[in-house]
Amino acid sequence: MPTAHVLIYTRTTGYRHDSIPDGAAALTELAEELGWAAEVTEDPGAFTPERLARCAVVVLISTTGTVLTPEGRDAFEAYLRRGGALLAVHAAANAEPDWPFYGELLGTRFDGHPEIQPGLVLVDDHDHPATAPLPARWAWTDEWYNFTSDPRASGVRVLARADETTYRGGTHGADHPLVWCREVDRGRFFFTALGHAPETYRDPAFRAHLSGALTWLTA
């Protein structure tokens, strides 16, 4: 596992969330609290074997569209397979739409969302640092992403679901995964669909959620 710093990547070529600066600032603070130096960039040239070799974790915060070069994709895949780690937040589910490896990591693809509204997150697995601090029924306001398929079919470990009975516009029914993780060869991957609004990144529970994800990714 590389051990030098956290690379926070914020490039978009599609819709750009207003919360990206807040997310990058929060992840920088959380990484530093855990003892990592953090770097924020939108430069696809950061994805080289040499630079990635210094990374404990790469974070994609609401990256949308094609944000990597072909060479960057190759370097990133090799980094993850040899023991690197990726934290994908919110609209990162809508990144790299034509890169098969990234789709396999996610286990699904973004498929739209209803209007931002309150609802409940159901935490099914508290035996994980990212969900251990959360209540079993977590009142939350977000965009409640829908996906093209059930990521469970790809073998991910689902940690939390949306309770579709508490908001409008869900398309998955009783089993609507929102937060999941997996291992890929020697590397680790974590995804949370939450994180739309700027104020999200000042919420103590959500910050604990992200900090727990970083902790697991670097374990």
Side-chain angles (χ1 to χ4, degrees), residues 7-85:
L7 180 67
I8 300 169
Y9 193 54
T10 59
R11 187 182 184 207
T12 56
T13 59
Y15 180 81
R16 188 170 184 87
H17 279 73
D18 292 340
S19 60
I20 287 176
D22 299 82
L27 265 297
T28 297
E29 293 169 3
L30 294 171
E32 291 173 350
E33 288 171 7
L34 293 169
W36 309 102
E39 173 188 2
V40 180
T41 186
E42 296 200 355
D43 179 11
F47 288 78
T48 65
E50 297 77 18
R51 199 160 175 187
L52 291 171
R54 304 196 302 269
C55 294
V57 183
V58 174
V59 182
L60 304 182
I61 298 185
S62 287
T63 46
T64 56
T66 299
V67 293
L68 298 174
T69 64
E71 297 78 12
R73 288 178 175 180
D74 289 344
F76 198 22
E77 179 176 351
Y79 158 79
L80 289 169
R81 291 191 183 280
R82 71 171 179 261

Side-chain angles (χ1 to χ4, degrees), residues 49-204:
E50 297 77 18
R51 199 160 175 187
L52 291 171
R54 304 196 302 269
C55 294
V57 183
V58 174
V59 182
L60 304 182
I61 298 185
S62 287
T63 46
T64 56
T66 299
V67 293
L68 298 174
T69 64
E71 297 78 12
R73 288 178 175 180
D74 289 344
F76 198 22
E77 179 176 351
Y79 158 79
L80 289 169
R81 291 191 183 280
R82 71 171 179 261
L86 170 60
L87 169 57
V89 180
H90 196 52
N94 202 20
E96 294 296 315
D98 61 346
W99 185 19
F101 173 72
Y102 190 70
E104 292 166 8
L105 274 182
L106 279 170
T108 188
R109 292 288 188 174
F110 170 76
D111 192 34
H113 60 77
E115 70 276 11
I116 187 169
Q117 59 191 295
L120 282 179
V121 177
L122 304 177
V123 177
D124 291 333
D125 187 343
H126 278 102
D127 189 25
H128 191 287
T131 44
L134 304 178
R137 295 172 62 83
W138 184 23
W140 191 248
T141 298
D142 219 298
E143 285 184 325
W144 305 106
Y145 275 10
N146 295 314
F147 302 99
T148 57
S149 61
D150 184 350
R152 290 184 195 272
S154 72
V156 302
R157 174 184 173 187
V158 174
L159 305 175
R161 298 175 291 124
D163 183 348
E164 290 192 359
T165 68
T166 62
Y167 70 94
R168 302 175 304 279
T171 62
H172 293 270
D175 186 16
H176 184 151
L178 283 180
V179 180
W180 59 82
C181 62
R182 74 186 322 150
E183 296 186 0
V184 50
D185 291 345
R186 290 184 290 159
R188 286 187 167 187
F189 169 78
F190 187 99
F191 172 70
T192 179
L194 308 175
H196 169 71
E199 58 269 22
T200 296
Y201 296 91
R202 296 186 289 276
D203 182 273

